[in-house]
Amino acid sequence: MNRLVPTISPIYQDALVAIARILLGAILVAHGLQKFFQWGIGGTAYSFQGMGIPLPRVAAVFAASVELFGGLLLIAGAFIFIAGVLVTILMLGAAIFAHGDARTLFIGDGGAELVIVIAAGALLLAAYGPGNWSIDRLLKGGAFTN
């Protein structure tokens, strides 16, 4: 037995995964809402054009949609593999195009730390699943169990 890694009961594991999904999803939803309703797709596309992002209007719709709907899917634990992969791809694009010329990793100085952390969280959820307290679990014919 490895004493450095405590054994966590399944109910706590599921609670921690659900909390992580909700936190990550909430960040994404907030950014998606910002792109759709605060900046608008036109404003987001204009910003993307200034960053040199190809097809800025298409990219703006894609980014806003993946953030909003991908975030909602993560919160619900639904279609977690697809949502996680799309969010990861989007965040890697953001790291390259929006933060690629930064000379630091830190977000306060224009670095990509936030989008890298979001990508890592989404990738982990895609790889390991949403836990038992999720829509995916219900769609597989199970109930919320532990």
Side-chain angles (χ1 to χ4, degrees), residues 10-53:
I11 195 166
Y12 293 126
Q13 288 175 346
D14 287 326
L16 293 172
V17 171
I19 291 166
R21 280 193 347 253
I22 291 166
L23 293 173
L24 186 59
I27 298 276
L28 288 163
V29 167
H31 282 268
L33 289 171
Q34 182 183 49
K35 284 178 179 67
F36 273 122
F37 300 110
Q38 184 179 352
W39 299 340
I41 293 301
T44 302
Y46 180 78
S47 175
F48 283 7
Q49 183 177 12
M51 293 179 219
I53 296 174

Side-chain angles (χ1 to χ4, degrees), residues 85-108:
V85 168
L86 287 174
V87 167
T88 300
I89 291 167
L90 178 65
M91 293 301 117
L92 292 177
I96 293 166
F97 287 105
H99 304 282
D101 60 352
R103 295 181 182 205
T104 179
L105 185 63
F106 302 111
I107 192 68

Side-chain angles (χ1 to χ4, degrees), residues 65-138:
S65 297
V66 168
E67 288 174 345
L68 178 58
F69 299 111
L72 291 171
L73 290 172
L74 291 180
I75 290 168
F79 306 101
I80 206 79
F81 179 79
I82 295 167
V85 168
L86 287 174
V87 167
T88 300
I89 291 167
L90 178 65
M91 293 301 117
L92 292 177
I96 293 166
F97 287 105
H99 304 282
D101 60 352
R103 295 181 182 205
T104 179
L105 185 63
F106 302 111
I107 192 68
D109 297 321
E113 71 178 325
L114 176 63
V115 296
I116 291 170
V117 169
I118 292 171
L123 198 57
L124 281 170
L125 288 170
Y128 290 100
N132 282 324
W133 300 351
S134 66
I135 299 299
D136 280 354
R137 173 69 177 189
L138 290 176

